[in-house]
Amino acid sequence: MSVAGTYSTTVKSPMGDQSGTLTVKDNGDGTFSGSMAGAMGSMDIPSGTVDGNTISWKMQMTVPMPMTLDCTATIDGDTLTGSVNAGAFGAMPLSGTRTG
C-alpha cells in the first residue's frame, strides 16, 4: 500500500494535543511532498523521504516560535505512528489515521 494520502493527526505537545491534517503526495522516487495544517497554521513539506512504509521530513514552524521540526512516521495500513522532534522541547508522539 502506498504511503500517499491524507491523515488526521494528533501530536502530543507540551501545549496539549495538537490536531492537524497531514497530506502526503508520494513522488514515486523515494521522496514525497505535502503539508501539515492545524490550528496554528499550515507548514509545507517540500522534500520528505519514503523508505518502505516509513516517511521522514522537516518542517519550518513559525508559530508560536520559529524552529525546525524533524518528523518520522511509519504507516501500517491506515494507521500512522511516529514522532516530531522539536529540538530543545524533545520528541513528541505523533499518531494518525488515513482519511483519504
Side-chain angles (χ1 to χ4, degrees):
M1 176 176 259
S2 172
V3 297
T6 302
Y7 300 85
S8 175
T9 63
T10 301
V11 176
K12 302 263 185 205
S13 85
M15 299 183 310
D17 288 1
Q18 302 296 312
S19 297
T21 301
L22 172 66
T23 303
V24 176
K25 298 174 187 165
D26 191 343
N27 297 325
D29 61 358
T31 67
F32 79 93
S33 58
S35 64
M36 175 72 94
M40 293 190 186
S42 181
M43 294 174 278
D44 288 334
I45 304 169
S47 58
T49 59
V50 179
D51 183 8
N53 65 337
T54 299
I55 58 175
S56 301
W57 71 99
K58 292 181 187 277
M59 297 183 294
Q60 299 300 319
M61 184 173 89
T62 57
V63 176
M65 67 187 74
M67 75 173 62
T68 299
L69 303 176
D70 290 309
C71 311
T72 302
T74 300
I75 298 162
D76 183 11
D78 290 334
T79 302
L80 176 146
T81 55
S83 66
V84 175
N85 190 316
F89 293 100
M92 301 172 285
L94 167 67
S95 61
T97 303
R98 188 187 315 251
T99 59

